[in-house]
């Protein structure tokens, strides 16, 4: 990898997977630097009682479950559990849970919220309304989908696992019958098994993998059923020469997700895990981060799509790097046709948009067609898109998807359903008549959400330069830059999106005003996200600062990059 690309540090998903795998093996005593890992998990806690994927991001149900469940597995207490319970209930719709307040409920979020409430925090969930919602997940072919509003052909082994796990959690309080046609559900899951013994996510995914296998056999086990054919031999075939696991046949990297899924699947099947414990624990030790937490592979090689794309987007890079572009393009893996944040985990909309903006798949018609079809498949019934398949819609993801679709389109217009996009953007508008938008319906408005809304509407053929200018004027900070809330504290991400949006709408930009802000958030080679934040070497902050600097100095065209 090029020397200007730095690997990331610990990752919450990886950390949860590593801790849970240790717990399955009854070896939490083998965790590397448990005190530092505990500190890492607690650093994700927000003042509202929920937990976020990283510091500064809003709380969501998934991150809250991962942090609290990992703390419990480590024998640690969850601080102020009542406040965490209180936050989780802010995501309740009356029937199910959303990932964040204001989003539509879906089965990912409902699974994580219910398990956090019941299994971690010892709370209660009303069973009757939730069971009715769960019943609506079953599709005509017997599987379960992401929400009752999703298409009839969108059943997925992950949705099956999450739905069945919610039912199992409810059973911990009061025995209740499964709210589905169980024989049809079992049959659908068993039909996902290939001849070689592994499972796929759905009817449209061609390659058996350990993630799909764990979710399928886990769902079957919770229903008291088994695969139609032996599965354990295939799982063991996914072992590398050193005894660790890879996600699917031919994949070269033994990562934390393969390890987690393999051990979880063997446990669900009732198979012994003693044989795999030693190489698995050795591998988990190798991917531990020295400052606490875990990443997906050796920390010195744990690159991610956003930082690699950021390096390629450097306006001062003499030319594109074949190595970096090749690494990004290798993140388009079987079964999910978008770019993955880290190779081997789920494809994500923002990473796909950043990768395309950085030049990945330029001229690669077949791969571009795959990505375009994947983006269309992610559009939710409410018209928006979420981070990845089945996730509730938000404006960050919707704007990233609209930008990616525009890059892929020969006509320069989005290939997504424009009526749906407009419907979702309008639902994020503030109902009191103010010209403002929120990231999700009913949440607090912000500048970035408003700018993202305007760019999405522009791709739909409904531009409003007046609305964009009013937002920019309202949040302009006199000393330089733009603020996401109010007009006092500017930040780099809001300033970047402001200049991008102004350029898209041909609104004049005061370059001295932008330059004054850039001077305040840089010192030598370090960059701060805002004048109140510490200077550091965050590659994404440095990327945005470099791009804005090039825009000020030489009218460099800016790609529309979204993060939050």
């Amino acid at each position: 990898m090029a020397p200007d690309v730095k690997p990331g540090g610990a990752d919450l998903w990886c950390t949860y997977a590593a801790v849970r795998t240790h717990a399955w093996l009854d070896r939490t005593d083998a965790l590397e630097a448990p005190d530092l890992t505990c500190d890492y998990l607690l650093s994700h806690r927000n003042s509202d009682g929920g937990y976020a994927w990283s510091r500064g991001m809003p709380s969501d149900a998934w991150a809250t479950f991962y942090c609290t469940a990992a703390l419990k597995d480590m024998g640690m207490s969850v601080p102020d559990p009542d406040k965490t319970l209180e936050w989780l209930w802010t995501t309740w719709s009356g029937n199910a849970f959303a990932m964040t307040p204001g989003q539509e409920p879906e089965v990912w979020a409902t699974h994580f919220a219910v398990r956090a409430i019941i299994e971690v925090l010892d709370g209660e969930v009303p069973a009757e309304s939730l069971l009715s919602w769960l019943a609506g997940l079953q599709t005509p072919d017997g599987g379960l989908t992401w929400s009752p509003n999703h298409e009839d052909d969108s059943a997925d082994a992950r949705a099956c696992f999450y739905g069945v796990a919610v039912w199992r959690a409810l059973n911990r309080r009061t025995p209740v019958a499964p709210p589905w046609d169980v024989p049809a559900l079992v049959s659908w899951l068993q039909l996902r098994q290939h001849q070689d013994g592994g499972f796929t996510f759905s009817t449209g995914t061609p390659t058996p993998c350990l993630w799909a296998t764990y979710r399928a056999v886990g769902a079957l086990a919770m229903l008291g059923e088994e695969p139609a054919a032996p599965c354990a031999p295939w799982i063991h075939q996914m072992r590398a020469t050193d005894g660790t696991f890879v996600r699917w046949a031919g994949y070269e990297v033994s990562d934390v997700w393969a390890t987690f899924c393999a051990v979880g699947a063997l446990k669900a099947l009732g198979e012994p895990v003693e044989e795999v414990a030693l190489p698995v624990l050795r591998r988990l030790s190798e991917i531990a981060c020295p400052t606490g937490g875990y990443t997906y592979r050796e920390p010195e090689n744990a690159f991610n799509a956003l930082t690699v794309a950021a390096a390629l987007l450097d306006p001062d890079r003499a030319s594109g790097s074949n190595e970096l572009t090749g690494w990004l393009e290798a993140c388009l893996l079987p079964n999910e046709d978008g770019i993955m944040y880290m190779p081997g985990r789920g494809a994500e909309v923002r990473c796909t948009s950043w990768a395309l903006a950085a030049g990945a798949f330029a001229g690669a018609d077949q791969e571009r067609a795959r990505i375009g079809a994947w983006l269309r498949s992610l559009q939710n019934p409410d018209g928006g898109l979420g981070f990845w398949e089945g996730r509730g819609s938000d404006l960050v993801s919707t704007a990233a998807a609209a930008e990616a679709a525009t890059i892929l389109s020969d006509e320069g217009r989005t290939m997504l359903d424009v009526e749906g996009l407009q419907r979702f953007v309008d639902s994020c508008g503030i109902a009191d008549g103010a010209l403002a938008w929120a990231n999700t319906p009913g949440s607090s408005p912000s500048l970035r959400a408003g700018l993202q809304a305007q760019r999405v509407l522009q791709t739909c053929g409904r531009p409003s330069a007046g609305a964009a200018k009013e937002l920019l004027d309202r949040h302009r900070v006199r000393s330089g830059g733009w603020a996401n809330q109010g007009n006092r504290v500017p930040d780099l991400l809001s300033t970047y999106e402001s200049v991008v949006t102004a350029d898209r709408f041909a609104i004049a930009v005061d370059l001295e005003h932008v330059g004054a802000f850039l001077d305040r958030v840089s010192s030598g080679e370090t960059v701060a996200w805002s004048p109140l934040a510490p200077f550091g070497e965050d590659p994404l902050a440095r990327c945005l600062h470099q791009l804005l600097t090039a825009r000020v100095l030489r009218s460099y065209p800016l790609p529309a990059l979204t993060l939050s």
Side-chain angles (χ1 to χ4, degrees), residues 7-339:
D11 174 81
L12 179 54
W13 193 347
C14 301
T15 300
Y16 168 78
V19 172
R20 183 90 281 268
T21 304
H22 279 88
W24 275 327
L25 297 172
D26 294 321
R27 288 300 311 275
T28 53
D29 62 300
L31 284 163
E32 296 289 327
D35 290 344
L36 292 176
T37 295
C38 179
D39 290 343
Y40 170 77
L41 293 168
L42 292 173
S43 73
H44 292 254
R45 188 178 188 275
N46 286 328
S47 59
D48 59 13
Y51 293 74
W53 284 101
S54 61
R55 187 173 299 176
M57 291 186 68
S59 301
D60 76 33
W62 194 335
T64 299
F65 172 73
Y66 271 4
C67 289
T68 58
L71 288 169
K72 183 177 180 180
D73 279 341
M74 295 174 67
M76 305 291 185
S77 298
V78 175
D80 199 353
D82 289 343
K83 191 164 188 178
T84 300
L85 276 171
E86 182 181 345
W87 181 83
L88 284 164
W89 280 108
T90 67
T91 69
W92 174 248
S93 71
N95 298 300
F97 291 88
M99 199 66 75
T100 64
Q103 285 189 295
E104 288 292 313
E106 31 83 2
V107 76
W108 294 90
T110 298
H111 162 262
F112 292 119
V114 169
R115 290 190 63 191
I117 291 170
I118 294 177
E119 297 179 3
V120 181
L121 301 170
D122 199 30
E124 302 282 348
V125 176
E128 185 174 351
S129 57
L130 185 51
L131 286 168
S132 176
W133 185 87
L134 289 170
L137 301 179
Q138 192 156 33
T139 56
D141 59 5
L144 304 186
T145 187
W146 308 108
S147 81
N149 297 324
H150 273 76
E151 298 291 336
D152 288 344
D153 61 353
S154 58
D156 189 285
R158 292 165 293 189
C160 293
F161 178 93
Y162 297 139
V164 174
V166 172
W167 166 74
R168 180 192 62 179
L170 293 174
N171 267 319
R172 294 178 183 271
R173 292 292 183 261
T174 304
V176 290
W180 309 289
D181 178 345
V182 173
L185 174 55
V186 169
S187 175
W188 187 91
L189 285 164
Q190 290 175 334
L191 287 172
R192 305 285 71 76
Q193 190 173 20
H194 281 223
Q195 289 182 341
D196 59 9
F199 286 75
T200 59
F201 291 125
S202 64
T203 55
T205 48
T207 305
C209 78
L210 277 171
W211 190 9
T213 299
Y214 168 48
R215 293 314 188 195
V217 301
L220 287 168
M222 288 185 283
L223 293 167
E225 300 288 345
E226 298 178 346
C231 178
W234 180 85
I235 295 173
H236 285 287
Q237 288 172 16
M238 296 302 103
R239 297 181 72 181
T241 55
D242 63 358
T244 58
F245 291 90
V246 295
R247 273 279 300 278
W248 51 77
Y251 191 62
E252 297 180 354
V253 178
S254 172
D255 59 37
V256 70
W257 302 296
T259 301
F260 167 80
C261 292
V263 175
L266 291 172
K267 294 284 285 187
L269 291 167
E271 296 286 335
V273 293
E274 291 78 12
E275 176 189 348
V276 305
L278 187 61
V280 161
L281 291 171
R282 183 183 67 247
R283 182 57 174 163
L284 291 175
S285 177
E286 292 169 352
I287 63 177
C289 295
T291 55
Y294 290 77
T295 185
Y296 70 100
R297 60 174 303 176
E298 308 89 346
E300 64 272 17
N301 292 319
F303 301 97
N304 67 67
L306 290 178
T307 56
V308 172
L312 281 168
L313 287 164
D314 180 352
D316 296 321
R317 183 176 286 276
S319 61
S321 166
N322 291 334
E323 181 188 17
L324 297 184
T325 303
W327 190 96
L328 275 181
E329 293 177 349
C331 290
L332 184 68
L333 296 170
N335 300 330
E336 291 189 280
D337 292 331
I339 301 300

Side-chain angles (χ1 to χ4, degrees), residues 23 52 90 284 335 368 385 402 415 427 487:
T90 67
L284 291 175
N335 300 330
R368 291 168 72 88
L385 293 89
M415 61 185 66
S427 74
N487 59 2

